[in-house]
Amino acid sequence: MTKNIMIVGVGGQGTLLASRILGNLCMGLGYDVKVSEVHGMSQRGGSVVTYVKYGKDEKVYSPIIDKGEADIVLAFELLEAYRAMPYVKKGGKMILNSQKIDPMPVITGAAEYPSEIEKKISENIDVTAVDALALAKEAGNIKAVNVVLIGVMAKNTDIPYDKWIETIKVTVPEKFLDVNLKAFDLGYRF
Amino acid sequence: MEKNKTALMLGNAAIARGAYEAGVRVVASYPGTPSTEITESIVKYDEIYAEWSPNEKVAAEVAIGASIGGARAMSCCKHVGLNVMADPVFTMSYIGANGGLVFCVADDPGMHSSQNEQDSRHYAEASKIFMLEPADSEECKEYTKIAFDMSEEYDTPAFIRLSTRVSHSQSIVKLGERKDNELKEYVKDPGKYVMMPGNAKKRHVVVEERIKKLKALAEETSLNTVEDNGSKIGVITAGIAYMYAKEALGNRVNYLKLGMVYPLPDKKILDFAAKCDKIYVIEELDPYIEKHVRSIGVDVIGKDAFTLLGEYTPAMIKKAVFGEDEPEYAEISENIPVRPPVMCAGCPHRGTFYVLKKLGLTVSGDIGCYTLGAVAPLASVDTTVCMGASVSAALGMAKARGDEFAKKLVSVIGDSTFMHSGITGLVDIVYNKGINTVIILDNSITGMTGHQDNPTTGKTIRGEATKQVNLITLCKAVGIDRVVVADPFDVKNFEKVVKEEVQADEPSVIIAQRPCALLKTVKYTGHCKINDSCRNCKMCMKLGCPAISVRNGKVVIDENQCNGCGLCINVCPFGAIEKEEN
């Protein structure tokens, strides 16, 4: 079976880098892999969804993931986690960042930010919630939220720690490497 | 990147790699999602001349000139960009190619970042130019090389058609070596290169003969493959839809995968159909293949079982073909707020639309990040049609409704879009005695597509310094006497300027100048904070800034979202917002 990982968040949160780290890691392990990204207008503060699919011994065809098919959903924001809940497969897992970012309909008062999202999701599926923003701050840059979350996810896979570190080293720009390695470690040890 | 290795690549990057390996020498494009990264990736190869052209027509013509000059050349665009380049493309079908010539077009099913859902395959048939459609990154690379070879062998331009999920998905590509093609000889040949009626009539004969040859090739080429799984159900498909079908249906059906979508192989289709009891055509957007297959007498199930709208998914295909439901999943039992795209915190356009909304003006809009000025709470933009239409359509509105209406109307157009196709509209306003006001939103970059340089930025695609188009001089040169530069974050002055210019009895241009907040050169520091003077008047909420919201009845600024641009400080009537340095 292919493994399906869905990364959701708000445009600007760094979901693209997270999916690229995962993609490179899978390729380095000799898997077939597809990473589906989002560019253009939808990146501007809107809901963004990227998919990473890999197969150890089989070819990956479709780059997208349907409802009920994600082994892991990695959510960078609480409401986006909720929106992605239907995509988690039976027995699948969600890792979510408890950060809230109000969407424009909430800001304008046209809608309300749903309450108790974490509880509602955990009634249905296995959830690990983490305050990735706090850990990113601890690592030295709030923009490292993405790598903190990758760290949390890494622990939930059977891929060795060193392989993740190697991939981060080749994917992340040199000047942000220290912060990102620290962020990954904080996430991994969470 | 080294040869004989593999790499994980976007479909777009793989097109660039294919062009590189095919020995392409010239690539000219205008950015447009989802095609932009093709040309951005070309820049990684020093052997290739690359440029951002002012628009797709110019880009295509640069590539055409390079081809006539004997070089392999390519021009890339999004689906609506192909409309802009269509004029030279149709005639190039008659001229053919000297050096291999490829037009690469990326459609956007689902409209992730587009104003319509046009199916560009129709262009292949209409212009009689063959079209290849890859389904993943490896095919992107290989098909590009094949397209260049075929272009030269059959003396024709080539189309490559992509869709968003092919362009923007990464998959594994085997890297090859560059074949350094010599420049082909350029020989003066008016019969081929000067398309006036006498010559074009002869070339049309050549075009029709060429299509016959390509049709024969379509029957033989390995681009069109049959996958016989011993089923009585057949699926005819192409591009990303093949990947969806393959995932959904696996080996339970037979496939005819069309790598060449124009011209289509009639005999191959008939032979494939003869072995099946039931045939499905699986293709996104228009029933392009379906119609053709029906026209040769094969009864198929196509759009009746699927949809003309948006993207397909494997789940949709599984349901349509085998009636199988999607797997169980946890449903959300309440309505949850949508999260549409918004202007970034610190976006210079926010100041402009705040003022236009306040003045209650009709706003003729255009294509770019600033199209988001149509969204609440700014809700300022009235119309968006296509690149450049803000200017010319505003003239039409003014001519229809008179001068008084014109004095409550502005056009808004970005710097890059103005260079693309706003200039001609402005000339029309001057020439035909319009009194319109055009606001050029000069944010020093092409924003929406992810920061490409353009003729107003003073830099080439490779970041080299070049002459910069001076917008003031340009506007004056076409006959606009009233040209004002104003900072949209200085809302008081900006409001004054807009009021004055719309009231003038002559045409005017306001250059709203402030760089995109995402540019590395823009360094806002700290963040804004609300102090005790706040009377909760919510004036700052009218900006629609993603950092400002109401919590427990009070306005708050999220310091993680705020970039410290300070626009809200300028609109607060009580001095209740101040800057706090980190």
Side-chain angles (χ1 to χ4, degrees):
Chain A
M1 280 296 282
T2 57
K3 277 274 184 193
N4 298 339
I5 298 171
M6 184 167 163
I7 303 175
V8 302
V10 177
Q13 279 192 301
T15 50
L16 211 59
L17 180 72
S19 64
R20 287 185 169 180
I21 289 174
L22 259 172
N24 284 330
L25 176 70
C26 293
M27 194 186 73
L29 291 165
Y31 302 163
D32 190 28
V33 61
K34 281 193 174 163
V35 181
S36 186
E37 306 184 344
V38 180
H39 298 239
M41 179 173 269
S42 25
Q43 275 181 299
R44 301 276 170 262
S47 300
V48 287
V49 179
T50 60
Y51 310 103
V52 180
K53 299 175 73 166
Y54 64 91
K56 285 187 186 179
D57 303 303
E58 61 183 314
K59 196 168 154 57
V60 179
Y61 292 101
S62 159
I64 61 166
I65 298 171
D66 283 310
K67 283 180 181 164
E69 290 192 338
D71 293 281
I72 298 177
V73 168
L74 191 60
F76 282 45
E77 196 272 349
L78 202 56
L79 174 59
E80 297 314 308
Y82 197 22
R83 202 187 308 283
M85 183 176 77
Y87 287 85
V88 181
K89 79 156 58 149
K90 222 177 165 186
K93 183 170 180 63
M94 180 182 279
I95 293 159
L96 69 82
N97 177 14
S98 51
Q99 187 182 355
K100 285 184 184 179
I101 299 173
D102 284 347
M104 202 42 74
V106 170
I107 289 177
T108 60
E112 272 184 44
Y113 199 101
S115 59
E116 298 185 303
I117 290 177
E118 205 179 305
K119 184 165 160 269
K120 288 171 188 164
I121 298 175
S122 63
E123 282 165 6
N124 292 295
I125 48 181
D126 178 15
V127 177
T128 301
V130 50
D131 184 351
L133 196 63
L135 293 178
K137 268 184 196 161
E138 194 182 326
N141 191 331
I142 56 167
K143 287 188 175 156
V145 162
N146 51 4
V147 183
V148 170
L149 289 167
I150 289 272
V152 182
M153 189 182 69
K155 207 174 50 179
N156 287 281
T157 67
D158 52 7
I159 300 165
Y161 182 90
D162 294 351
K163 292 281 177 194
W164 292 93
I165 297 294
E166 276 171 35
T167 309
I168 290 170
K169 282 183 178 166
V170 297
T171 316
V172 169
E174 179 88 43
K175 63 175 172 175
F176 299 119
L177 189 58
D178 285 347
V179 168
N180 279 304
L181 288 176
K182 198 170 171 200
F184 177 81
D185 195 59
L186 285 168
Y188 194 85
R189 288 190 289 110
F190 174 76
Chain B
M1 264 174 286
E2 294 160 52
K3 56 197 171 196
N4 305 323
K5 281 200 165 180
T6 56
L8 187 61
M9 276 186 164
L10 280 180
N12 281 348
I15 295 279
R17 180 72 197 187
Y20 165 77
E21 290 179 11
V24 77
R25 287 166 181 262
V26 174
V27 177
S29 308
Y30 183 83
T33 316
S35 71
T36 313
E37 300 79 12
I38 305 171
T39 309
E40 284 186 328
S41 304
I42 287 287
V43 175
K44 292 176 190 147
Y45 306 109
D46 292 338
E47 298 91 333
I48 305 171
Y49 168 80
E51 70 165 51
W52 290 129
S53 311
N55 65 35
E56 293 87 351
K57 178 176 182 289
V58 174
E61 289 157 352
V62 169
I64 285 165
S67 163
I68 292 172
R72 286 193 163 188
M74 180 167 77
S75 184
C76 312
C77 62
K78 68 184 293 174
H79 57 322
V80 287
L82 181 54
N83 303 333
V84 179
M85 66 159 74
D87 190 1
V89 165
F90 274 68
T91 301
M92 269 320 271
S93 177
Y94 282 35
I95 289 175
N98 187 21
L101 177 61
V102 172
F103 301 119
C104 186
V105 56
D107 284 358
D108 190 16
M111 291 180 277
H112 294 270
S113 196
S114 301
Q115 64 270 43
N116 73 33
E117 217 165 11
Q118 157 187 321
D119 189 329
S120 296
R121 293 176 297 177
H122 300 297
Y123 270 98
E125 195 170 11
S127 64
K128 304 185 181 186
I129 294 173
F130 79 89
M131 180 178 267
L132 308 186
E133 182 170 3
D136 63 13
S137 298
E138 176 64 20
E139 287 187 3
C140 281
K141 199 200 78 163
E142 283 308 305
Y143 285 19
T144 304
K145 292 165 79 171
I146 293 168
F148 276 107
D149 287 344
M150 283 174 66
S151 166
E152 288 178 1
E153 191 182 339
Y154 290 86
D155 189 11
T156 172
F159 272 129
I160 294 174
R161 186 231 187 188
L162 305 170
S163 57
T164 300
R165 297 293 183 186
V166 173
S167 283
H168 287 165
S169 291
Q170 299 194 59
S171 58
I172 296 170
V173 173
K174 292 186 209 77
L175 305 181
E177 286 182 50
R178 176 171 168 92
K179 186 177 121 199
D180 253 320
N181 288 300
E182 291 296 307
L183 262 188
K184 288 185 132 191
E185 199 182 348
Y186 167 70
V187 182
K188 190 178 172 87
D189 184 359
K192 179 168 160 64
Y193 295 126
V194 182
M195 283 305 94
M196 52 190 181
N199 295 340
K201 278 178 189 165
K202 289 176 198 142
R203 290 300 300 179
H204 190 181
V205 177
V206 175
V207 169
E208 298 305 335
E209 282 169 1
R210 181 181 77 208
I211 281 300
K212 272 186 208 153
K213 284 183 201 157
L214 283 163
K215 215 161 164 60
L217 176 81
E219 303 288 353
E220 306 301 327
T221 175
S222 59
L223 291 163
N224 298 328
T225 54
V226 172
E227 197 181 313
D228 189 345
N229 293 313
S231 172
K232 284 289 161 192
I233 300 173
V235 166
I236 304 175
T237 183
I240 194 67
Y242 165 76
M243 291 297 178
Y244 296 155
K246 187 75 186 167
E247 174 153 321
L249 313 172
N251 295 337
R252 295 190 281 171
V253 300
N254 302 336
Y255 297 91
L256 172 54
K257 177 182 178 295
L258 300 166
M260 184 165 166
V261 292
Y262 180 77
L264 289 166
D266 294 352
K267 191 173 171 293
K268 203 164 208 164
I269 292 168
L270 290 168
D271 289 351
F272 178 76
K275 290 183 186 161
C276 302
D277 297 337
K278 211 173 182 185
I279 305 279
Y280 289 87
V281 173
I282 301 182
E283 57 184 329
E284 290 176 329
L285 301 180
D286 292 344
Y288 166 85
I289 297 170
E290 181 183 342
K291 272 190 178 167
H292 183 86
V293 174
R294 282 184 194 283
S295 78
I296 57 171
V298 179
D299 189 27
V300 296
I301 303 164
K303 289 295 163 184
D304 285 347
F306 297 99
T307 173
L308 292 157
L309 314 175
E311 298 184 281
Y312 282 15
T313 66
M316 178 199 285
I317 294 168
K318 210 182 264 183
K319 176 90 184 163
V321 176
F322 289 125
E324 293 168 2
D325 288 323
E326 51 197 355
E328 272 180 55
Y329 59 83
E331 278 185 77
I332 304 168
S333 55
E334 61 188 309
N335 282 328
I336 63 171
V338 293
R339 189 187 300 272
V342 290
M343 285 179 206
C344 308
C347 178
H349 306 321
R350 181 168 285 110
T352 303
F353 289 117
Y354 171 78
V355 168
L356 299 183
K357 164 99 172 177
K358 190 176 170 194
L359 296 177
L361 299 176
T362 299
V363 178
S364 178
D366 223 300
I367 307 285
C369 292
Y370 49 91
T371 310
L372 294 171
V375 182
L378 292 165
S380 176
V381 169
D382 285 79
T383 61
T384 300
V385 184
C386 65
M387 296 286 285
S390 63
V391 184
S392 20
L395 178 66
M397 274 179 120
K399 293 296 181 192
R401 302 190 75 86
D403 281 0
E404 282 316 300
F405 185 81
K407 289 182 179 180
K408 291 179 188 138
L409 169 70
V410 292
S411 304
V412 291
I413 182 165
D415 47 337
S416 185
T417 309
F418 181 69
M419 294 312 297
H420 178 283
S421 47
I423 301 170
T424 40
L426 192 65
V427 170
D428 195 24
I429 288 172
V430 175
Y431 172 50
N432 287 306
K433 303 180 179 183
I435 62 159
N436 297 66
T437 298
V438 174
I439 304 179
I440 301 175
L441 306 167
D442 179 9
N443 65 346
S444 313
I445 202 74
T446 312
M448 174 105 281
T449 44
H451 286 184
Q452 290 74 31
D453 280 290
N454 68 55
T456 70
T457 66
K459 278 190 205 147
T460 69
I461 192 170
R462 292 191 186 272
E464 294 153 0
T466 183
K467 275 215 171 189
Q468 187 172 9
V469 169
N470 183 319
L471 288 171
I472 303 170
T473 321
L474 173 64
C475 295
K476 289 197 169 169
V478 304
I480 302 284
D481 294 327
R482 300 178 71 103
V483 182
V484 193
V485 179
D487 176 2
F489 272 20
D490 182 355
V491 284
K492 260 191 195 150
N493 179 59
F494 196 77
E495 184 179 335
K496 181 173 150 274
V497 168
V498 174
K499 270 185 181 162
E500 276 170 17
E501 295 312 312
V502 291
Q503 279 306 314
D505 290 315
E506 59 177 308
S508 59
V509 168
I510 302 166
I511 301 172
Q513 221 165 44
R514 181 167 277 260
C516 173
L518 300 182
L519 280 173
K520 287 199 172 70
T521 48
V522 174
K523 298 224 185 294
Y524 296 119
T525 58
H527 59 270
C528 298
K529 205 184 158 185
I530 294 173
N531 64 28
D532 295 342
S533 312
C534 176
R535 299 193 197 173
N536 237 4
C537 72
K538 302 203 171 97
M539 194 63 117
C540 53
M541 296 292 296
K542 292 186 177 175
L543 291 171
C545 175
I548 311 177
S549 56
V550 178
R551 288 219 192 269
N552 305 321
K554 288 204 115 181
V555 178
V556 289
I557 297 178
D558 179 347
E559 63 176 270
N560 295 317
Q561 295 290 311
C562 175
N563 74 342
C565 80
L567 176 63
C568 54
I569 297 174
N570 297 349
V571 301
C572 177
F574 303 110
I577 308 179
E578 57 193 60
K579 192 78 167 281
E580 190 174 76
E581 294 304 328
N582 288 334

